[in-house]
Amino acid sequence: MRTWVAPGRVNIIGEHTDYNDGYVLPIALPLVVRCAAGARTDGSVRVASRQRPGEPVVVAVSDLARQRALVPGWARYPLGVVAEFTRRGHRIPGVDLDLDGAVPIGAGLSSSAALSCAVAVALRDLFAPGVTDRVLIDMARAAENDYVGAPTGLLDQSAALLCTAGHALLLDVRAFAADTAAPRGTGHEQIPFDLAAFGLELLVIDTGQPHELVDGHYAERRDQCAAAAEALGVTALRDLAAADVDRIADDVLRRRARHVVTENARVLAVAEKLREGVDPRGIGPILTAGHASLRDDFEVSTPALDAAVEAAVAAGAHGGRMVGGGFGGSAIALVDREGTEAVVAAVRRRFADAGLAAPRTFAVVAAAGAHRAR
């Protein structure tokens, strides 16, 4: 058995823009899912997880489609990747998959994509070495969409596979999605993201309130964005200018569109500042503005996420925002390294005063994408 790893991710900026053909700016986290994998010859897939104690799940490769509804929900992520490989004509005679994840589940840090991508890179190396990163991203995304039933875009899988240490990944989703034939795809750029050089840290605040893509809220926002684009006769909200938004008659659709349009502008503004190598403290207000937009226009924040951001900024953070799809999960705060403890203490006090369970907090750096560990 050899081991492969794939990271979780956090967006510096750019939420709910990916499925609107827009721009995103994620980093990979040092927290990873590990997949120890080895070939079998009996035509079966055996999946076990340290986070799911009990008997392993064993399914015949030929029965993956028929058994989908009968396997536990967690096992559909790895089994879905195997099913996608076979659906695309890659022969898998059988495989053992032993999983161990350090990415918090339900925290909005893409633990599911980390799991799917760890399995995907393992299967590619074992059975289909000619598959490119770009195609692998599409396969991992398809596994989550079709086998799990989670309506994800390309963001999470792209971050897990393409991010590099010390960099944020600027992804132009429209250009990237259109170029599946390129070895690594076009439409992306590695932008230096070294906060330590400026005495800064990126603090993650996990509220402990689980975030689930399959609960319907995420799909509802996607449908609303599609309806807003249709109302103005454009392919996607990425095609709108700020002045176009006011032409949408429906108030809810107008606010959804306004978030996407302004969020795309925020992504490009942050990317430009980082590209120029200026003090990253300057991106802080842009992050906070992104949170206000997600809270007010897109309506995906929660009282706990709002409390985390407000307390962090009040305690000296240069900016903060919720991350991920919303309705739970995590927030980030850009903090001076020597002020991290004070920000953490302030957030914990705010949670205690509100009767909320203490959040989990940890600083992260821009880490490497999926790779073979040993």
Side-chain angles (χ1 to χ4, degrees):
M1 300 275 279
R2 291 177 287 173
T3 300
W4 289 260
V5 301
R9 70 99 183 100
V10 68
N11 273 352
I12 305 307
I13 192 77
E15 302 296 355
H16 293 278
T17 50
D18 60 326
Y19 55 82
N20 289 292
D21 280 2
Y23 303 93
V24 292
L25 190 69
I27 61 169
L29 299 177
L31 305 173
V32 301
V33 172
R34 294 182 174 274
C35 175
R40 298 168 65 105
T41 59
D42 63 355
S44 297
V45 183
R46 183 192 64 85
V47 183
S49 169
R50 290 192 65 180
Q51 284 67 52
R52 306 285 181 172
E55 290 295 319
V57 175
V58 181
V59 181
V61 174
S62 59
D63 284 340
L64 284 169
R66 289 189 293 271
Q67 294 295 315
R68 175 192 174 277
L70 303 178
V71 300
W74 69 267
R76 293 177 190 173
Y77 290 91
L79 293 177
V81 179
V82 179
E84 187 63 19
F85 267 78
T86 60
R87 189 187 72 81
R88 298 194 185 207
H90 302 290
R91 182 177 178 273
I92 296 180
V95 66
D96 285 312
L97 301 170
D98 290 327
L99 306 168
D100 186 10
V103 185
I105 297 172
L109 303 177
S110 297
S111 59
S112 59
L115 169 56
S116 298
C117 289
V119 173
V121 292
L123 294 180
R124 174 177 65 180
D125 287 0
L126 289 172
F127 304 111
V131 172
T132 65
D133 284 347
R134 180 62 191 85
V135 171
L136 200 65
I137 288 166
D138 198 53
M139 293 172 72
R141 191 268 299 267
E144 290 201 48
N145 290 174
D146 301 336
Y147 204 85
V148 179
T152 67
L154 286 169
L155 163 60
D156 297 346
Q157 297 80 11
S158 299
L161 285 163
L162 296 181
C163 278
T164 60
H167 294 81
L169 177 73
L170 176 61
L171 192 69
D172 176 341
V173 175
R174 172 171 286 171
F176 187 75
D179 196 7
T180 58
R184 292 180 64 86
T186 58
H188 64 93
E189 177 187 353
Q190 303 290 346
I191 296 182
F193 189 71
D194 182 8
L195 297 182
F198 294 88
L200 293 167
E201 287 188 322
L202 190 68
L203 181 68
V204 174
I205 305 164
D206 177 3
T207 66
Q209 297 180 343
H211 156 75
E212 293 284 350
L213 287 184
V214 293
D215 63 6
H217 294 300
Y218 179 88
E220 179 185 50
R221 292 303 184 277
R222 290 189 68 141
D223 290 343
Q224 290 169 339
C225 288
E230 183 179 5
L232 291 185
V234 296
T235 302
L237 292 180
R238 179 235 179 88
D239 298 312
L240 297 184
D244 296 326
V245 173
D246 290 338
R247 296 194 289 116
I248 301 175
D250 183 271
D251 177 64
V252 171
L253 299 186
R254 184 168 60 251
R255 287 187 286 114
R256 302 298 186 256
R258 183 166 57 219
H259 165 71
V260 174
V261 171
T262 57
E263 186 79 345
N264 277 325
R266 284 186 286 270
V267 173
L268 295 178
V270 169
E272 184 60 24
K273 287 181 178 294
L274 295 176
R275 192 185 288 117
E276 292 173 351
V278 300
D279 189 330
R281 289 170 178 83
I283 73 172
I286 305 175
L287 305 187
T288 307
H291 180 79
S293 181
L294 287 160
R295 180 192 64 210
D296 300 334
D297 280 342
F298 222 68
E299 297 181 288
V300 293
S301 190
T302 66
L305 289 166
D306 293 341
V309 172
E310 292 165 7
V313 172
H318 299 284
R321 56 183 292 274
M322 59 150 283
V323 296
F327 305 106
S330 300
I332 58 172
L334 182 65
V335 299
D336 291 318
R337 187 166 50 233
E338 63 269 20
T340 300
E341 290 185 8
V343 171
V344 169
V347 172
R348 288 180 174 272
R349 283 195 302 271
R350 178 68 175 272
F351 272 54
D353 291 345
L356 299 169
R360 178 187 178 193
T361 59
F362 48 94
V364 297
V365 297
H371 60 279
R372 180 181 165 187
R374 65 174 188 270

